[in-house]
Amino acid sequence: MAVSVASCCFSLLNAPVKIQSYSSSPRCFVAASQKSQTSLNQKRKSLRPDSSPKLNPEKQNKYPGKVRDESSGPQTMAFKAFGSPKKEKKESLSDFREQQTDPAKIHDASFLNAVVKVYCTHTAPDYSLPWQKQRQFTSTGSAFMIGDGKLLTNAHCVEHDTQVKVKRRGDDRKYVAKVLVRGVDCDIALLSVESEEFWKGAEPLRLGHLPRLQDSVTVVGYPLGGDTISVTKGVVSRIEVTSYAHGSSDLLGIQIDAAINPGNSGGPAFNDQGECIGVAFQVYRSEETENIGYVIPTTVVSHFLTDYEKNGKYTGYPCLGVLLQKLENPALRECLKVPTNEGVLVRRVEPTSDASKVLKEGDVIVSFDDLHVGCEGTVPFRSSERIAFRYLISQKFAGDIAELGIIRAGEHKKVQVVLRPRVHLVPYHIDGGQPSYIIIAGLVFTPLSEPLIEEECEDTIGLKLLTKARYSVARFRGEQIVILSQVLANEVNIGYEDMNNQQVLKFNGIPIRNIHHLAHLIDMCKDKYLVFEFEDNYVAVLEREASNSASLCILKDYGIPSERSADLLEPFVDPIDDPQALDQGFGDSPVSNLEIGFDGLVWA
């Protein structure tokens, strides 16, 4: 099954363009964009002439999308939009609804002038060679004006940006834009344009409410197939919690049958009243399906903007931090002493979540803020619909408190939980852009991340390491899986040249907590030997003084500017508050599809 997402249009500078398709797990959506990158073989030839790992093109640059942590949906707070550049007053969502637009206005030039074309130059990190960047490439997407000198677009349209420019309809001039904030999990970004000329005569769009099924919807943007603005029309097919390909999260989404193509990303979708009801961002394609496009609803946009306004930054969607199981089976409910046809079973609690302080495995959650949770893990939605329980969690902000009604050993209880963003053992995106690394005698250590897995290809990572990446949870905040990425051949590391993508567990007998901890242990070491213990009892030993002497020579031979990333020059702060957390090994439990949300189980 080929799965793809309508992304921005990509083209490599001074190089042929090729279309790449990325595979995905069921119920997740992955981007198919015009983007070409230097292959891993080419990048590694200069460093390892004898190594030429084979890449599977179907797995290259894949968005895994297997997280089941951050649920989503509308929020309870009224949305406050940014006013126009010449007005200081900010208007609420109720104000938008009152200003209805005639359906014919959608074809009016002034109405479409709020939609702009985005030109972005990207320079992504090279996760296999973390001391350098990949070759830059360009892309185009769409955005629209929301006033106060701000534009709204998709986060993936301006990911790893080095330059962003925008152009209005009917104008031949491009204006420099600045990325103010990116919400990776909800795939939304906020841009600003300082030029007053750009905003002359501009009328920001008005955001509407969540549509109903079969409501008409019109998508506007700058997709492939031409240079001018494009308009496609369809209806709302479905509204439910949906997998977001870029953020690898589950948030409320609107499914439509209007055509969405590469370049439409970031463009608005309108209802018949001329209100913007969401942001086009992805499509689902397979041989069995057609006309399945997705729009980020204004309720998610509202959550993003309110978060940014309240905190001065984007803090992200919170999660409960539990693995849940449906209670559809009567015998299972009877065994758990659940008298009614309701509730979901807590199967696992993440150690890093606040829920670990009040919830236990075997608890049954029967209500969330006094709203009853059904045995299928759903809650009432609008007048006659039901939606996934995670929807309620997504209405909250990081730091909010939720009251849970639970049944524990047949006894009803009320507990309060602080909701926070999930702590990922293997992150889907790298904060700050550039990955951490340290090179010791040619041994390159770096934290495992999903972008590294995409770049290396799953086949070269190994099943055991991939299993940990997919299904393990962090035991404490700041924990990382540190791997030996590759070995830069030199006399000092003879015999280790073929080692790559192996998890390092201990240094001189001390368990490694993260890459910064490893760097700290190496800096403090006064022993004669540096002993690295890897998975499957593999050991690498180096003489400390010989390693230090060879380091400068290795860096010079391979053209590497520094033996470690800048963040590892900062003092080390121990992330462990509770030493007992180290006693819980990650990745030791059996793994099955049940762990990632299939067959009635799902992260909330």
Side-chain angles (χ1 to χ4, degrees):
M1 175 172 56
V3 188
S4 61
V5 172
S7 170
C8 23
C9 311
F10 293 97
S11 60
L12 185 64
L13 297 178
N14 304 320
V17 174
K18 64 181 181 180
I19 303 292
Q20 293 181 335
S21 297
Y22 309 127
S23 61
S24 169
S25 64
R27 292 194 57 76
C28 60
F29 309 86
V30 232
S33 52
Q34 282 195 318
K35 174 182 176 183
S36 178
Q37 297 180 337
T38 306
S39 72
L40 181 60
N41 289 355
Q42 293 173 328
K43 287 185 292 187
R44 285 203 164 177
K45 275 183 180 177
S46 60
L47 293 184
R48 299 178 63 188
D50 57 340
S51 175
S52 55
K54 296 180 180 179
L55 291 180
N56 183 342
E58 294 182 356
K59 293 182 179 178
Q60 211 172 358
N61 287 328
K62 172 188 149 219
Y63 290 114
K66 296 188 178 180
V67 173
R68 294 294 183 270
D69 52 350
E70 292 145 5
S71 314
S72 59
Q75 58 174 10
T76 55
M77 299 180 61
F79 169 67
K80 292 185 178 180
F82 296 99
S84 65
K86 299 182 180 180
K87 298 180 182 179
E88 295 182 358
K89 179 182 177 182
K90 294 183 179 180
E91 299 165 299
S92 67
L93 184 56
S94 59
D95 296 326
F96 298 153
R97 293 171 180 168
E98 292 172 359
Q99 301 186 18
Q100 305 262 315
T101 306
D102 187 89
K105 189 175 180 181
I106 201 165
H107 305 292
D108 191 287
S110 62
F111 191 77
L112 299 180
N113 282 345
V115 186
V116 304
K117 190 170 185 176
V118 179
Y119 301 82
C120 185
T121 301
H122 311 257
T123 308
D126 190 325
Y127 296 93
S128 297
L129 309 177
W131 50 86
Q132 66 185 35
K133 298 274 191 177
Q134 297 183 26
R135 187 178 182 183
Q136 72 177 20
F137 60 93
T138 61
S139 73
T140 62
S142 305
F144 59 94
M145 302 175 182
I146 60 172
D148 197 27
K150 307 296 190 299
L151 299 167
L152 208 65
T153 187
N154 284 143
H156 72 258
C157 288
V158 291
E159 185 180 27
H160 304 306
D161 66 287
T162 50
Q163 184 185 67
V164 179
K165 294 179 290 185
V166 294
K167 185 172 74 171
R168 291 184 60 174
R169 179 172 179 248
D171 195 350
D172 62 351
R173 180 180 173 184
K174 297 175 183 176
Y175 298 84
V176 174
K178 178 184 177 182
V179 179
L180 294 179
V181 61
R182 268 182 292 260
V184 174
D185 55 357
C186 60
D187 200 3
I188 303 174
L190 193 64
L191 312 180
S192 67
V193 179
E194 295 182 357
S195 172
E196 294 183 1
E197 185 178 351
F198 174 82
W199 295 101
K200 285 183 179 179
E203 296 182 10
L205 297 182
R206 302 296 180 180
L207 304 187
H209 55 77
L210 194 67
R212 297 281 178 176
L213 297 181
Q214 299 185 31
D215 280 359
S216 296
V217 60
T218 302
V219 177
V220 181
Y222 291 87
L224 287 175
D227 295 325
T228 59
I229 202 164
S230 168
V231 178
T232 58
K233 198 169 180 66
V235 298
V236 175
S237 308
R238 181 183 291 149
I239 299 176
E240 66 177 359
V241 175
T242 302
S243 293
Y244 278 41
H246 180 67
S248 300
S249 55
D250 296 337
L251 304 174
L252 193 71
I254 303 173
Q255 180 184 321
I256 63 175
D257 66 356
I260 297 178
N261 295 297
N264 268 126
S265 287
F270 300 99
N271 58 18
D272 276 346
Q273 286 71 46
E275 300 170 332
C276 174
I277 54 99
V279 186
F281 76 116
Q282 68 185 24
V283 296
Y284 183 95
R285 292 196 180 108
S286 74
E287 295 179 356
E288 293 94 15
T289 63
E290 60 182 19
N291 299 333
I292 298 181
Y294 289 90
V295 171
I296 302 171
T298 52
T299 47
V300 176
V301 175
S302 161
H303 190 285
F304 167 80
L305 292 176
T306 304
D307 187 355
Y308 176 61
E309 289 179 321
K310 284 174 56 179
N311 302 296
K313 62 179 181 179
Y314 180 68
T315 60
Y317 275 86
C319 75
L320 189 56
V322 295
L323 183 66
L324 302 175
Q325 178 178 344
K326 299 176 183 179
L327 291 182
E328 297 178 278
N329 187 277
L332 178 58
R333 292 197 301 271
E334 184 178 352
C335 178
L336 294 170
K337 300 180 181 180
V338 179
T340 57
N341 187 23
E342 63 179 353
V344 286
L345 174 65
V346 175
R347 186 170 182 267
R348 180 190 292 184
V349 184
E350 291 190 349
T352 56
S353 71
D354 282 74
S356 63
K357 302 173 184 177
V358 295
L359 293 179
K360 299 179 180 180
E361 294 179 7
D363 287 347
V364 176
I365 299 175
V366 294
S367 68
F368 185 97
D369 285 345
D370 293 326
L371 192 62
H372 288 285
V373 179
C375 66
E376 289 186 334
T378 59
V379 294
F381 179 61
R382 300 200 286 200
S383 59
S384 59
E385 303 173 69
R386 296 190 70 85
I387 198 167
F389 164 59
R390 292 164 291 164
Y391 158 80
L392 297 180
I393 302 170
S394 70
Q395 291 182 294
K396 302 285 189 176
F397 290 88
D400 284 355
I401 297 175
E403 185 177 72
L404 303 179
I406 66 171
I407 296 177
R408 178 179 297 167
E411 181 182 353
H412 287 262
K413 292 186 176 183
K414 291 280 189 178
V415 297
Q416 290 188 334
V417 178
V418 179
L419 302 176
R420 305 189 189 280
R422 188 182 181 194
V423 177
H424 295 279
L425 179 63
V426 179
Y428 283 84
H429 295 266
I430 303 297
D431 294 335
Q434 203 67 19
S436 303
Y437 74 90
I438 183 170
I439 303 173
I440 303 298
L443 277 64
V444 181
F445 296 97
T446 189
L448 185 64
S449 65
E450 289 293 346
L452 177 60
I453 294 174
E454 296 164 17
E455 200 168 285
E456 286 285 307
C457 181
E458 292 181 0
D459 294 341
T460 65
I461 291 294
L463 182 58
K464 180 174 285 190
L465 198 56
L466 193 61
T467 297
K468 286 188 178 183
R470 292 288 185 264
Y471 310 122
S472 298
V473 297
R475 298 168 295 176
F476 51 87
R477 292 181 180 272
E479 183 178 24
Q480 294 174 326
I481 294 178
V482 182
I483 65 169
L484 172 63
S485 175
Q486 60 179 305
V487 177
L488 310 179
N490 184 271
E491 291 182 4
V492 74
N493 55 46
I494 287 178
Y496 306 137
E497 301 93 333
D498 295 330
M499 294 180 64
N500 65 87
N501 295 331
Q502 291 181 252
Q503 182 184 2
V504 55
L505 301 176
K506 296 180 180 180
F507 173 77
N508 283 3
I510 302 175
I512 295 170
R513 300 166 188 176
N514 53 40
I515 186 71
H516 209 154
H517 185 221
L518 174 61
H520 172 72
L521 293 176
I522 293 172
D523 292 341
M524 296 296 103
C525 179
K526 304 299 181 183
D527 297 343
K528 181 178 180 180
Y529 297 106
L530 308 177
V531 182
F532 300 91
E533 298 178 46
F534 298 88
E535 193 74 69
D536 298 325
N537 298 321
Y538 201 95
V539 179
V541 179
L542 301 169
E543 188 183 15
R544 181 171 60 85
E545 292 185 1
S547 298
N548 293 337
S549 301
S551 291
L552 289 178
C553 179
I554 293 173
L555 296 179
K556 182 178 178 181
D557 288 347
Y558 289 92
I560 301 172
S562 176
E563 70 166 2
R564 66 183 68 188
S565 53
D567 60 310
L568 299 187
L569 298 174
E570 300 293 329
F572 171 70
V573 178
D574 196 333
I576 297 182
D577 296 326
D578 181 10
Q580 293 182 351
L582 288 175
D583 296 334
Q584 308 169 16
F586 49 66
D588 295 334
S589 59
V591 175
S592 69
N593 284 344
L594 299 182
E595 297 286 346
I596 55 174
F598 302 127
D599 300 331
L601 286 148
V602 66
W603 281 106

